[in-house]
Amino acid sequence: YSFGTAMELGECTRNPGYQEADREADRAADITTTNGPEESRDSTGVCLDSDAVEYTQIKPFAGMPKEVLLLYSSQARYRVPREILFWLTVACTLALVALSITVIALSPRCLSWWQVSPVYQVYLRSFKDSDGDGVGDLQGLQEQLHHFQYLNIKSVWITPFYRSPMRDFGYDVEDFKAIDPLFGTMHNFEELLAEMHSKGLKLIMDFIPNHTSDKHRWFNLSRTRDEHYKDYYVWADCNATAPKPNNWVSVFGNSSWTYDEVRGQCYLHQFLKEQPDLNFRNPHVRKEMIDILHFWLGKGVDGFRMDAVKHLLEATHLRDEPQVDPNKPPDSVTSEWDLHHDYTTSQLGLHDLLREWRAEMDKFSREPGRYRFMVTESYDYHEVDKTMMYYGTTLVKESDFPFNFYLLDLPQNTSGLWVQHLVHLWMSNMPRGQWPNWVVGNHDKPRITSSAGRRYIHVINMLLLTLQGTATTYYGEEIGMENINVTQSQIQDPAGKYNASASRDPQRSPMQWSGDMNAGFNNKTNITWLPVHPDYSRVNVEAQKKEEGSLLAQYRFLNTLRQSELPLQRGWFCFVHADINVFSYLRELDGLDRAFLIVLNFGKESAVTDLSTVSELPDQLMVLMSTDRENDGKVLHKSRILTAAGEGLVIQYSTYTRFNPSHPMQCYVSEKACYLAAIDILYKC
Amino acid sequence: MAEDNMRNRKEPENGRFNHGMDSQITQEKPVKATMLQKDVGLVSGVSLIVGTMIGSGIFISPKAVLLYSGAVGPCLLVWTGCGVLSTLGALCYAELGTMITKSGGEYPYLLEAFGSIVAYLYSWTTVMVLKPSSFAIISLSFAEYASAPFYPGCTPPAVVIKCLSAAAIWLIVIVNCFSVKLANYVQNFFTAAKLFIILVIVGAGIVLLAKGNTETLSHAFEGSPPSVGAIGLAFYNGLWAYDGWNQLNFITEELKNPYRNLPLAILIGIPLVSACYVMVNIAYFTVMTTTELLLSPAVAMTFGDRVLYPLSWVVPVFVVFSTFGSANGSCFTAGRLTYVAGREGHMVKILSYISVKYCTPSPALIFNGILSVFYIIPADINTLINYFSFAQWVFYGLTTLALIVMRFTRKELHRPVKVPIVVAGLMVLMSCYLVLAPIIDKPDLEYLYCTIFIFSGLIFYYFFIYCKFSWASNFMRPITMHLQLLMEVVPPEKNE
């Protein structure tokens, strides 16, 4: 259409019925406004003007020009919908913005990476050997990153790989800013870190502030009384033959003082004599440590596991520690269990150090998606409140969590009540709003599969992955690796050389990847630094990947379930039942009708659990997953939940009544959030 | 026509919300033809080019180029090379734009050189998929960056992102429907914001360079030289960052003095963008190593945190501004293509109509907005749309081919700008490469689906344009009429 033809069609079409006076005025006005430069338009205007006064009506038509359009467009039937539509659009836009802002304002803090995934501990010496020297290394680890992706694990803690004379396998550091050639080069490390980040994995490394190696440059300068370094370590007057400065004993046994001939004084070592304790009362030492933190944070490390923090400071007065048994002759006080460590652990000022480090890490956490995580290691045994101090306060943050070592006691007494007691110990003592975590094994403790018994490993993994909080998985726990037997002559662990029963070698055997040579740990040569467990042909990653219902498959299923189900991730945790055999709890989220009941049999015999008193549970319960594959999908009545010894059940059920409002004393949640199904969001409630 | 006269009317037909517009009309000139006005000057033209080209990519993930080129030196060279190539491409478009002074980007040139079918397929693909989806994606990233600071450590809920992006789309459509001038002011403002943050980053980079943070840059050419294939991939990714250099050709008719301003805006805009890109990259390298840059989830934010703290919040804020500006630019030009295609009868006629009161192609803008809102609804539109991106380069290639073809078929046309034909040839070859490279690299079946979709447009072409079924127009006529009355839009007047 060109405008001209349109006008010709339209102009002067008569409609005698049209006589509205207002219209005429309008039209006249419009035509005046649109007095274009064209002749034809002028004449049209005139024509309309003169005719319209009496009788003209032009019918609207598709492609009508402005003059025709304006005759009709202001009619109520167009004007009203137009205005309604317009304001509707405006209102809609505003509503969308308002909705977004409301959702943002109500959103609870989202879970950080260390809360979403278990922390997997890699004992680097034993994980994967890439160069055939029999000792695991960084490149080997890099080759096996797919294992974490397979298991849906995001956080990997790697035991120390600093340059070290390996008196305590890396916990005696010679240079905090270098990689030990045994494990690779700095380039290998950077590649590993980049590769991990590009796979979405986070790298947590050890930070060992308490001591250095006696080969460290600082120690050599300190023992020669270099002006700057002379107070880097804790020195006390003594001589080679005379008694030690006090009765303090090292964690590995015997006096924690060793005479140094070069300096002619004794230095303190709470661990091996090759691990002199740093003097954290010296501001230079504190600064050096922060420099080291910066160095690794700058490289992009995602978190630190703070080693042996309770030993950081010692009382300056150097008084004798009280004996546990006052009647014991002082000469025979050689073990750490003989003394109350009032002057060598958890000293005043310790938490200030950690807070200072936390603040440094927070500086590096500002970049988006780069939260730096801190976990502390402190065995406080019956003094659980001392451990809880490491959570910091509501005002000053410290570690994200201190390792919860209490589940390590699980093998002492396998029963439902005992496990409930251990879980309750942490949950009831943890400060409000903090995040729990669970450890059943590490490089210092016997493997849980061996100490608790093979039949319980399935149910223990199920416990870890369905409890509230972050689970820690020591390498091999996902396939049920066991302690190895190490003969006296094979002992590698320096602590084991002092005392064979304290050897930590059994839990450090090479990772069992496959049924091949050296369990796939070292494909190149026939050496491994510790012997491979003889059961490797059966217990290995490759075999368990193929086997349905294997421990590995269950680990993977549960971990994936945990990350996809909000109740397991951040919902309520409620104790439901415990008896001699069975420990049972549930996980639920307000506003979500899907919840999980976990029934775990830690006892020595099969049990029938009656949960009919729990009115919030539906009568019929369907087993989502059992550690015994036979029972998957079974429907149970809540009064008769049958579990064999060492069997665990994850039961998914639907309900509209939540357990937690009526049982506040039995329920725990870190940060309360409610689910709104209509728009699939969480909100603070 | 006095304003008070309008107000005195019993039934002010213009409705409540447009007195401002009335007064604007009265102030400027009493008579204004119902057509798209020549409102875009040189500054607006440059800001449209710069504003659309610089989206969020340079701030968030300028990684692919570095990844494939391997080292800092080749990376910077590739960025520069991409700038040169885009300038050459845009110069071809300048020749076409000044030769055929019609809006609608590639559409009128394809129509002139290859005839109706090619032009139709172009408009079909672009109007239905490319333009609305890119508008949708830019809005989605706007929403993501706007909400991300409130969700540290995780992704914002889908509902927030979708609501915010839908709101942004509607807001931009409303602004564009109301006034071309206002849309231009918005564009200029956000482009200025974008250039400001680039200036801040570059400034900080220069300071750091002066301080001696040249560690990464001093090893610029270390490492093995990248393979030819890798260089190709680097260029492929780099050129995407420069996509948008043809923006001005979409609005040729609205340019003041297009013969001067079109080539000039291109010659100012694209080198400006190239300079920005290269300098921003240099600035990044002053505080980040190549690995860090590759791993950073949001490069400019990382830069901001390391350099500008405690003012590091300005970076995310301005990145949000930048994406909003790009979305506005995208909407502005997308409307024009729909409008031109409708005018030529390749889309329903109503889309070529313009608002009586505001002289904006509101039906086209609203149509584009509605499609865009549909595109933000599905969970993951990005993957699907990525497969369509090869079509974009098919059309760029065809357009430069059109330039070569018309050198022979349409010798008589006046060409105020004339590029050497070699340049056009080079652009054609490059387009072929960019179309084929990703397909050969990863021959997915999805490319076939996209091709099928593009050619499925021919079915409509056959029935509605070639055969011109009368029932179709009988069906459309009352709809058009009522929509016209509802939206107060009319066919544009001709002013020649």
Side-chain angles (χ1 to χ4, degrees):
Chain A
Y1 279 151
S2 78
F3 174 76
T5 50
M7 280 318 293
E8 275 157 49
L9 277 170
E11 71 183 293
C12 303
T13 311
R14 295 180 174 212
N15 184 348
Y18 179 70
Q19 283 176 354
E20 219 177 303
D22 287 346
R23 288 283 156 213
E24 183 270 318
D26 280 356
R27 205 185 320 147
D30 291 330
I31 285 157
T32 334
T33 41
T34 56
N35 233 343
E38 295 157 73
E39 282 291 312
S40 67
R41 288 182 67 251
D42 278 342
S43 64
T44 314
V46 172
C47 165
L48 283 169
D49 201 18
S50 54
D51 289 354
V53 182
E54 306 144 27
Y55 47 80
T56 308
Q57 169 63 302
I58 302 166
K59 285 196 176 131
F61 56 94
M64 71 191 104
K66 183 176 182 176
E67 288 75 9
V68 184
L69 176 106
L70 290 178
L71 293 177
Y72 295 92
S73 63
S74 54
Q75 283 176 356
R77 63 180 171 141
Y78 294 114
R79 185 174 47 81
V80 173
R82 176 164 63 237
E83 296 216 357
I84 290 178
L85 280 176
F86 173 77
W87 288 112
L88 215 61
T89 316
V90 173
C92 189
T93 310
L94 292 176
L96 286 171
V97 174
L99 176 67
S100 311
I101 292 173
T102 319
V103 171
I104 288 175
L106 288 178
S107 287
R109 206 169 29 176
C110 51
L111 297 185
S112 193
W113 56 267
W114 51 272
Q115 297 174 297
V116 176
S117 148
V119 173
Y120 188 99
Q121 181 186 354
V122 169
Y123 193 69
L124 193 56
R125 289 183 77 86
S126 304
F127 200 63
K128 172 78 183 176
D129 178 18
S130 69
D131 54 8
D133 62 357
V135 178
D137 43 45
L138 292 169
Q139 241 183 315
L141 170 59
Q142 192 174 339
E143 287 166 18
Q144 298 304 110
L145 291 179
H146 58 84
H147 184 58
F148 308 125
Q149 292 183 301
Y150 177 78
L151 293 176
N152 215 348
I153 285 169
K154 301 272 182 290
S155 326
V156 181
W157 158 32
I158 307 169
T159 51
F161 40 81
Y162 302 105
R163 179 187 293 276
S164 156
M166 298 292 165
R167 308 314 309 173
D168 189 16
F169 292 136
Y171 284 97
D172 50 329
V173 181
E174 188 186 326
D175 184 348
F176 283 107
K177 296 184 183 175
I179 310 279
D180 197 276
L182 191 63
F183 297 127
T185 60
M186 188 56 91
H187 181 69
N188 291 147
F189 170 76
E190 281 162 1
E191 268 190 352
L192 171 71
L193 184 62
E195 182 73 14
M196 284 180 70
H197 283 170
S198 71
K199 287 187 154 67
L201 302 170
K202 304 287 184 177
L203 191 154
I204 301 165
M205 63 186 279
D206 259 283
F207 185 62
I208 307 153
N210 181 62
H211 47 260
T212 67
S213 161
D214 59 348
K215 302 281 183 296
H216 197 286
R217 197 175 62 92
W218 301 341
F219 189 69
N220 283 322
L221 289 165
S222 189
R223 74 205 313 190
T224 54
R225 295 184 192 260
D226 178 280
E227 191 50 40
H228 183 78
Y229 292 95
K230 67 173 197 241
D231 287 332
Y232 263 48
Y233 295 84
V234 182
W235 294 97
D237 288 332
C238 74
N239 55 52
T241 49
K244 303 293 186 204
N246 56 31
N247 73 342
W248 296 355
V249 290
S250 127
V251 171
F252 292 127
N254 297 325
S255 174
S256 49
W257 296 98
T258 295
Y259 177 72
D260 178 57
E261 284 176 359
V262 180
R263 176 150 160 162
Q265 268 187 313
C266 278
Y267 62 88
L268 178 78
H269 56 88
Q270 295 216 39
F271 294 88
L272 297 175
K273 72 176 194 319
E274 292 87 359
Q275 293 169 301
D277 266 42
L278 283 165
N279 174 17
F280 272 92
R281 306 203 189 268
N282 181 340
H284 295 301
V285 172
R286 291 207 292 271
K287 189 169 172 305
E288 295 271 13
M289 281 297 151
I290 286 173
D291 275 354
I292 292 159
L293 277 180
H294 283 187
F295 177 81
W296 293 102
L297 290 170
K299 285 207 177 289
V301 166
D302 298 288
F304 288 106
R305 174 251 189 199
M306 301 292 182
D307 179 71
V309 284
K310 73 170 180 178
H311 300 282
L312 278 176
L313 291 168
E314 299 80 21
T316 46
H317 52 60
L318 304 185
R319 288 179 202 143
D320 281 356
E321 282 184 330
Q323 289 181 207
V324 174
D325 176 6
N327 302 324
K328 203 169 182 181
D331 287 349
S332 63
V333 170
T334 54
S335 143
E336 66 165 326
W337 307 110
D338 293 335
L339 294 174
H340 293 293
H341 298 287
D342 292 354
Y343 303 140
T344 55
T345 65
S346 310
Q347 295 298 296
L348 195 67
L350 156 65
H351 290 281
D352 299 304
L353 284 170
L354 286 167
R355 284 166 194 167
E356 197 180 352
W357 294 339
R358 175 73 254 177
E360 294 303 321
M361 291 174 73
D362 280 345
K363 281 187 198 162
F364 284 83
S365 302
R366 289 197 307 256
E367 290 171 20
R370 296 308 307 274
Y371 182 78
R372 312 300 172 106
F373 163 73
M374 178 183 190
V375 53
T376 48
E377 182 215 26
S378 169
Y379 290 89
D380 294 297
Y381 307 103
H382 57 278
E383 295 169 303
V384 62
D385 48 329
K386 279 193 180 166
T387 308
M388 295 302 171
M389 290 286 287
Y390 295 98
Y391 273 118
T393 67
T394 45
L395 298 175
V396 196
K397 208 163 69 165
E398 221 164 281
S399 63
D400 291 294
F401 51 69
F403 272 135
N404 167 7
F405 293 119
Y406 291 93
L407 277 188
L408 289 168
D409 295 337
L410 192 145
Q412 287 178 15
N413 172 10
T414 48
S415 84
L417 280 166
W418 177 243
V419 179
Q420 189 202 30
H421 163 75
L422 295 177
V423 172
H424 187 257
L425 181 68
W426 192 269
M427 296 309 286
S428 55
N429 282 294
M430 188 178 69
R432 274 175 73 92
Q434 297 294 356
W435 190 256
N437 74 99
W438 312 96
V439 178
V440 292
N442 59 34
H443 59 288
D444 288 331
K445 300 292 166 186
R447 285 194 175 272
I448 194 82
T449 320
S450 301
S451 51
R454 202 160 181 92
R455 75 196 300 199
Y456 297 108
I457 182 65
H458 289 77
V459 74
I460 289 169
N461 272 346
M462 184 177 273
L463 173 78
L464 255 62
L465 291 169
T466 53
L467 280 172
Q468 184 199 344
T470 301
T472 306
T473 300
Y474 182 51
Y475 81 98
E477 275 171 11
E478 73 278 27
I479 52 171
M481 273 171 61
E482 294 195 52
N483 288 343
I484 50 166
N485 290 317
V486 184
T487 58
Q488 188 74 37
S489 60
Q490 285 173 318
I491 287 181
Q492 301 286 328
D493 183 14
K497 285 175 181 164
Y498 289 101
N499 172 6
S501 67
S503 167
R504 296 165 294 175
D505 289 336
Q507 61 264 29
R508 295 175 176 180
S509 68
M511 178 70 180
Q512 288 152 223
W513 292 107
S514 67
D516 305 339
M517 179 177 79
N518 300 328
F521 165 71
N522 172 5
N523 308 327
K524 295 216 168 80
T525 55
N526 197 15
I527 43 169
T528 57
W529 76 285
L530 276 174
V532 176
H533 195 284
D535 73 1
Y536 78 91
S537 55
R538 197 166 39 83
V539 179
N540 66 59
V541 174
E542 201 179 77
Q544 295 201 9
K545 269 189 186 174
K546 290 185 193 130
E547 184 196 339
E548 266 185 85
S550 66
L551 187 60
L552 186 77
Q554 286 181 8
Y555 186 100
R556 183 169 184 240
F557 176 83
L558 285 168
N559 191 26
T560 311
L561 183 75
R562 182 188 151 77
Q563 285 173 45
S564 58
E565 291 293 347
L566 282 171
L568 290 173
Q569 230 179 62
R570 62 182 305 163
W572 287 93
F573 166 84
C574 300
F575 292 106
V576 170
H577 173 87
D579 59 35
I580 185 76
N581 293 312
V582 169
F583 172 39
S584 176
Y585 50 91
L586 59 79
R587 304 297 312 276
E588 62 182 14
L589 186 75
D590 295 301
L592 187 64
D593 57 4
R594 199 166 59 249
F596 295 89
L597 173 72
I598 321 291
V599 182
L600 307 172
N601 188 332
F602 284 98
K604 298 189 172 52
E605 56 212 30
S606 58
V608 178
T609 313
D610 180 4
L611 294 181
S612 51
T613 51
V614 184
S615 57
E616 287 83 358
L617 290 174
D619 289 341
Q620 301 289 324
L621 296 167
M622 205 191 56
V623 177
L624 177 69
M625 183 208 149
S626 164
T627 52
D628 180 1
R629 216 156 60 83
E630 303 267 292
N631 295 334
D632 282 0
K634 265 196 186 162
V635 178
L636 303 168
H637 195 271
K638 70 173 170 179
S639 62
R640 285 191 55 81
I641 301 170
L642 183 71
T643 45
E647 185 185 2
L649 305 176
V650 175
I651 293 163
Q652 183 183 323
Y653 64 94
S654 274
T655 179
Y656 291 96
T657 44
R658 237 62 64 190
F659 184 80
N660 72 75
S662 47
H663 304 82
M665 297 308 289
Q666 283 162 261
C667 293
Y668 298 88
V669 70
S670 283
E671 191 176 359
K672 208 177 156 203
C674 298
Y675 181 73
L676 188 62
I679 48 173
D680 184 29
I681 57 148
L682 284 169
Y683 62 97
K684 284 180 217 158
C685 55
Chain B
M1 175 86 219
E3 196 187 340
D4 44 344
N5 193 356
M6 298 269 253
R7 284 215 181 115
N8 287 340
R9 274 188 273 158
K10 261 193 198 165
E11 193 186 35
E13 61 181 340
N14 287 341
R16 271 170 292 164
F17 45 84
N18 46 28
H19 285 301
M21 194 47 64
D22 288 342
S23 58
Q24 196 186 330
I25 291 169
T26 11
Q27 278 160 14
E28 271 180 25
K29 43 182 175 180
V31 177
K32 193 173 178 181
T34 316
M35 56 187 295
L36 296 182
Q37 306 295 312
K38 287 186 178 293
D39 275 340
V40 182
L42 182 63
V43 174
S44 299
V46 172
S47 91
L48 192 65
I49 291 183
V50 174
T52 319
M53 284 174 81
I54 305 180
S56 55
I58 187 70
F59 303 116
I60 304 301
S61 58
K63 299 173 194 166
V65 175
L66 177 62
L67 183 69
Y68 291 112
S69 51
V72 179
C75 167
L76 294 176
L77 286 180
V78 168
W79 278 108
T80 321
C82 290
V84 172
L85 282 178
S86 328
T87 315
L88 293 181
L91 282 175
C92 295
Y93 272 62
E95 171 175 336
L96 290 164
T98 49
M99 182 169 77
I100 303 166
T101 50
K102 281 188 179 170
S103 292
E106 289 86 349
Y107 179 81
Y109 319 138
L110 293 173
L111 188 67
E112 196 72 41
F114 302 118
S116 191
I117 293 187
V118 177
Y120 170 77
L121 284 182
Y122 166 76
S123 65
W124 160 258
T125 316
T126 313
V127 169
M128 300 304 286
V129 182
L130 294 178
K131 282 289 179 183
S133 66
S134 84
F135 187 23
I137 287 175
I138 300 172
S139 315
L140 282 171
S141 32
F142 158 76
E144 206 178 316
Y145 303 140
S147 51
F150 303 103
Y151 294 90
C154 59
T155 44
V159 61
V160 170
I161 293 184
K162 296 201 168 168
C163 285
L164 268 184
S165 55
I169 287 176
W170 282 130
L171 181 66
I172 290 170
V173 167
I174 289 173
V175 164
N176 276 276
C177 283
F178 263 92
S179 158
V180 175
K181 276 219 159 75
L182 184 59
N184 274 325
Y185 286 140
V186 169
Q187 189 65 42
N188 291 353
F189 173 78
F190 284 105
T191 305
K194 188 172 311 202
L195 290 175
F196 169 76
I197 192 65
I198 285 190
L199 214 62
V200 168
I201 292 178
V202 170
I206 290 173
V207 171
L208 287 169
L209 271 185
K211 276 187 180 170
N213 286 26
T214 52
E215 202 182 324
T216 312
L217 289 164
S218 56
H219 310 296
F221 289 91
E222 268 180 18
S224 54
S227 68
V228 178
I231 287 281
L233 281 170
F235 264 97
Y236 177 74
N237 286 287
L239 282 168
W240 275 115
Y242 284 94
D243 194 35
W245 38 267
N246 59 344
Q247 288 300 315
L248 222 47
N249 290 63
F250 281 95
I251 54 154
T252 319
E253 288 166 36
E254 285 162 78
L255 278 176
K256 293 174 190 160
N257 192 5
Y259 300 110
R260 170 181 170 269
N261 284 345
L262 180 67
L264 207 53
I266 285 172
L267 278 176
I268 297 173
I270 298 174
L272 179 64
V273 173
S274 315
C276 288
Y277 281 1
V278 172
M279 304 226 289
V280 166
N281 268 291
I282 293 177
Y284 289 155
F285 286 126
T286 58
V287 283
M288 274 178 260
T289 63
T290 49
T291 345
E292 280 177 320
L293 197 130
L294 288 175
L295 288 174
S296 168
V299 178
M301 276 65 150
T302 309
F303 181 89
D305 277 311
R306 294 192 184 173
V307 180
L308 305 173
Y309 186 82
L311 285 176
S312 44
W313 54 268
V314 301
V315 178
V317 168
F318 277 85
V319 171
V320 169
F321 281 2
S322 175
T323 31
F324 191 84
S326 299
N328 184 59
S330 168
C331 174
F332 189 84
T333 53
R336 272 39 178 194
L337 173 66
T338 319
Y339 160 78
V340 172
R343 193 170 65 183
E344 298 294 334
H346 282 174
M347 286 282 142
V348 280
K349 222 46 208 208
I350 182 95
L351 294 178
S352 71
Y353 293 174
I354 60 173
S355 165
V356 172
K357 283 170 202 146
Y358 313 117
C359 293
T360 54
S362 39
L365 291 166
I366 292 170
F367 178 72
N368 185 47
I370 291 173
L371 279 184
S372 302
V373 171
F374 277 120
Y375 279 115
I376 61 171
I377 293 172
D380 184 22
I381 193 68
N382 258 322
T383 17
L384 176 71
I385 297 310
N386 280 341
Y387 287 112
F388 261 103
S389 59
F390 84 99
Q392 189 72 63
W393 279 101
V394 170
F395 293 122
Y396 287 155
L398 279 174
T399 310
T400 29
L401 191 64
L403 183 144
I404 299 173
V405 169
M406 281 191 282
R407 282 283 172 91
F408 300 103
T409 58
R410 307 297 301 272
K411 280 184 180 139
E412 77 284 3
L413 285 173
H414 174 56
R415 292 177 171 84
V417 179
K418 209 166 174 182
V419 294
I421 201 153
V422 189
V423 170
L426 182 72
M427 292 306 293
V428 174
L429 286 179
M430 195 183 75
S431 313
C432 287
Y433 167 73
L434 290 171
V435 171
L436 295 176
I439 300 181
I440 293 169
D441 182 46
K442 231 176 115 192
D444 285 324
L445 216 53
E446 277 81 354
Y447 289 114
L448 187 66
Y449 299 148
C450 295
T451 318
I452 292 172
F453 173 85
I454 294 170
F455 282 102
S456 69
L458 286 176
I459 301 170
F460 293 87
Y461 184 83
Y462 179 76
F463 286 116
F464 299 113
I465 298 163
Y466 186 74
C467 299
K468 284 193 181 139
F469 281 135
S470 59
W471 59 262
S473 51
N474 284 341
F475 173 72
M476 275 311 292
R477 207 170 289 138
I479 296 180
T480 308
M481 185 192 84
H482 288 295
L483 279 177
Q484 255 196 298
L485 287 165
L486 185 67
M487 299 164 75
E488 296 195 303
V489 290
V490 295
E493 291 168 22
K494 291 222 164 63
N495 194 11
E496 274 150 294

